[in-house]
Amino acid sequence: MPLSNAQYDEIQRQYDARQLYNQHVVQERKTHLYRIYPRLKELDERIAATSVYRAKEMLNGNDMALSRLKQELDYYRAERKAVLAVAGVDEAYFDPPYACPYCKDTGYIGSEKCRCFQQAAIDLVYTQSNLKHILEEENFQTFSYSYFSENKINPKTGMNSLDTAREAVYKAFDFIKSFDQEFQNLLLYGEAGTGKTFLCNCIAKQLLDDGFSVIYFTAFQLFEILEKQKFQNDSEVSGHFQNIFDCDLLIIDDLGAELSNTFTVSHLFLCLNERLLRKKSTLISTNFDLNLLSKTYTERISSRVLSNYNIIELFGDDIRIQKKKTNNDGGTNYAL
């Protein structure tokens, strides 16, 4: 992830702030318990003092110092555990509330950047904070089947709208559950207003929460980046271009809404094929059915998609129209 010095410093300040916050929380918890249980403070002080004293003895060649240290610490820790039990907490109470348990809010695991750092860079470079606000409202917790009907039957599959939605959500959860174990791609298709973007957002939210890097683009935004890469000699644009291939999940929403031409077709193939070669997952949503997808983006692209993507169809009445009608009638605006 190419970052300027200013951008890197901005991200590092965020991590510094997290670490200070974590330290503050832990200290507040200790202060609170020390006030109620002063013996706990005494025990913590004795454990620290004993460890230092016996360490000095070991450095001075006292062969018994290590065994005495173990005995003394076992004694103090047993009493400390008993005090914590009375307080109704355990040792985990003093663990910092890390936003990322993998790197412990440092941004690094060893010398490698953590996934959370990579996502922070993506958020900064692509200003995806707006997406995160959307994900607060559009996620699996706010997902509802209220707008999918048991009476609306898909003539192609014989399944009703509700069962189709349930199957789509099941496949989405399967995709998320096996994301770091099995390379998969998804294609969501169906008519406008059937919940494809909402389901994309649900998947994005869950994978972001699980620590994976996600880049979300509408098809128009993606092709704008690809066009700049081709026609502008700019190192920053080149870096952005590379991120499209490196992120854990690339979401291309509303494919087909852009103006399709020779350039978009050839670069879509480049993007999809390169991510397949790198075994980086891609999620595409489109209003096109599979036949129109093939006609618009050539047999070469449709072949890649049909052979390498799990296909999920969403079917039903336009949810946006239903929501508008419900709101106008004074009803509840259910998610999705």
Side-chain angles (χ1 to χ4, degrees):
M1 182 68 61
L3 296 171
S4 67
N5 289 337
Q7 289 173 325
Y8 181 88
D9 290 343
E10 171 61 25
I11 293 175
Q12 196 57 55
R13 281 194 292 271
Q14 295 174 17
Y15 281 102
D16 291 342
R18 285 186 201 174
Q19 293 175 49
L20 286 173
Y21 171 76
N22 292 340
Q23 294 170 13
H24 175 74
V25 169
V26 171
Q27 189 56 50
E28 283 288 305
R29 291 174 179 177
K30 284 185 177 180
T31 301
H32 172 70
L33 286 184
Y34 285 167
R35 186 170 56 251
I36 302 173
Y37 304 96
R39 179 57 177 166
L40 181 62
K41 182 179 181 180
E42 293 175 8
L43 289 168
D44 283 346
E45 291 173 346
R46 288 193 180 186
I47 288 171
T50 299
S51 298
V52 172
Y53 178 73
R54 294 302 181 192
K56 289 180 179 179
E57 285 192 327
M58 283 186 278
L59 290 174
N60 291 330
N62 187 334
D63 295 336
M64 299 296 295
L66 183 59
S67 62
R68 288 173 179 169
L69 174 63
K70 185 178 184 307
Q71 291 174 358
E72 291 166 341
L73 291 185
D74 286 347
Y75 174 81
Y76 291 138
R77 285 168 178 165
E79 184 179 354
R80 187 177 188 276
K81 185 176 181 179
V83 174
L84 291 177
V86 172
V89 299
D90 56 22
E91 285 291 345
Y93 182 70
F94 298 107
D95 292 342
Y98 296 122
C100 178
Y102 304 105
C103 68
K104 295 181 169 52
D105 291 349
T106 64
Y108 284 82
I109 300 176
S111 60
E112 298 292 325
K113 288 186 178 72
C114 183
R115 283 173 173 166
C116 69
F117 189 101
Q118 296 169 1
Q119 187 62 46
I122 287 171
D123 292 343
L124 183 62
V125 171
Y126 295 107
T127 60
Q128 300 222 335
S129 57
N130 183 52
L131 173 63
K132 292 196 171 183
H133 291 310
I134 293 172
L135 300 187
E136 290 176 3
E137 298 182 0
E138 298 190 3
N139 52 69
F140 284 117
Q141 282 66 47
T142 60
F143 187 98
S144 171
Y145 293 105
S146 300
Y147 293 101
F148 297 96
S149 171
E150 292 182 282
N151 300 320
K152 184 83 172 181
I153 307 298
N154 187 338
K156 293 184 295 183
T157 65
M159 293 176 62
N160 63 42
S161 173
L162 179 59
D163 287 340
T164 301
R166 285 173 174 161
E167 182 176 273
V169 171
Y170 175 83
K171 289 180 178 178
F173 272 118
D174 183 66
F175 175 75
I176 293 165
K177 183 179 179 181
S178 60
F179 189 79
D180 60 345
Q181 301 167 353
E182 181 182 356
F183 172 59
Q184 296 185 70
N185 304 285
L186 291 182
L187 173 70
L188 306 183
Y189 80 98
E191 294 181 358
T194 50
K196 298 181 299 298
T197 296
F198 195 109
L199 189 55
C200 283
N201 291 339
C202 291
I203 294 170
K205 173 69 163 60
Q206 190 62 52
L207 288 177
L208 283 169
D209 289 348
D210 291 344
F212 295 100
S213 58
V214 177
I215 294 181
Y216 172 98
F217 288 125
T218 63
F220 179 83
Q221 291 170 330
L222 174 67
F223 289 122
E224 187 175 41
I225 292 285
L226 298 179
E227 184 177 5
K228 287 181 179 179
Q229 160 64 18
K230 182 173 178 63
F231 298 110
Q232 295 182 16
N233 185 17
D234 187 317
S235 59
E236 184 176 348
V237 171
S238 296
H240 297 178
F241 179 73
Q242 195 59 43
N243 297 335
I244 291 171
F245 301 121
D246 289 340
C247 64
D248 295 322
L249 177 67
L250 173 66
I251 298 177
I252 307 173
D253 192 22
D254 208 12
L255 183 67
E258 80 292 343
L259 178 62
S260 178
N261 52 43
T262 303
F263 173 84
T264 58
V265 169
S266 63
H267 279 70
L268 178 62
F269 177 81
L270 168 68
C271 179
L272 299 186
N273 193 56
E274 184 65 22
R275 287 188 63 82
L276 285 172
L277 293 174
R278 298 188 186 198
K279 292 192 178 300
K280 295 289 188 178
S281 295
T282 305
L283 167 57
I284 300 172
S285 81
T286 180
N287 292 345
F288 287 1
D289 63 23
L290 300 182
N291 288 330
L292 185 55
L293 191 70
S294 178
K295 291 179 181 178
T296 305
Y297 295 104
T298 75
E299 184 65 29
R300 189 167 63 154
I301 290 177
S302 63
S303 175
R304 287 289 192 282
V305 171
L306 294 176
S307 59
N308 293 283
Y309 282 63
N310 293 326
I311 312 297
I312 299 177
E313 181 180 11
L314 284 167
F315 170 79
D317 295 321
D318 192 318
I319 295 169
R320 300 185 190 96
I321 295 176
Q322 294 184 68
K323 283 185 176 182
K324 185 176 181 180
K325 181 179 178 181
T326 301
N327 289 337
N328 290 340
D329 291 344
T332 303
N333 182 14
Y334 290 98
L336 198 64

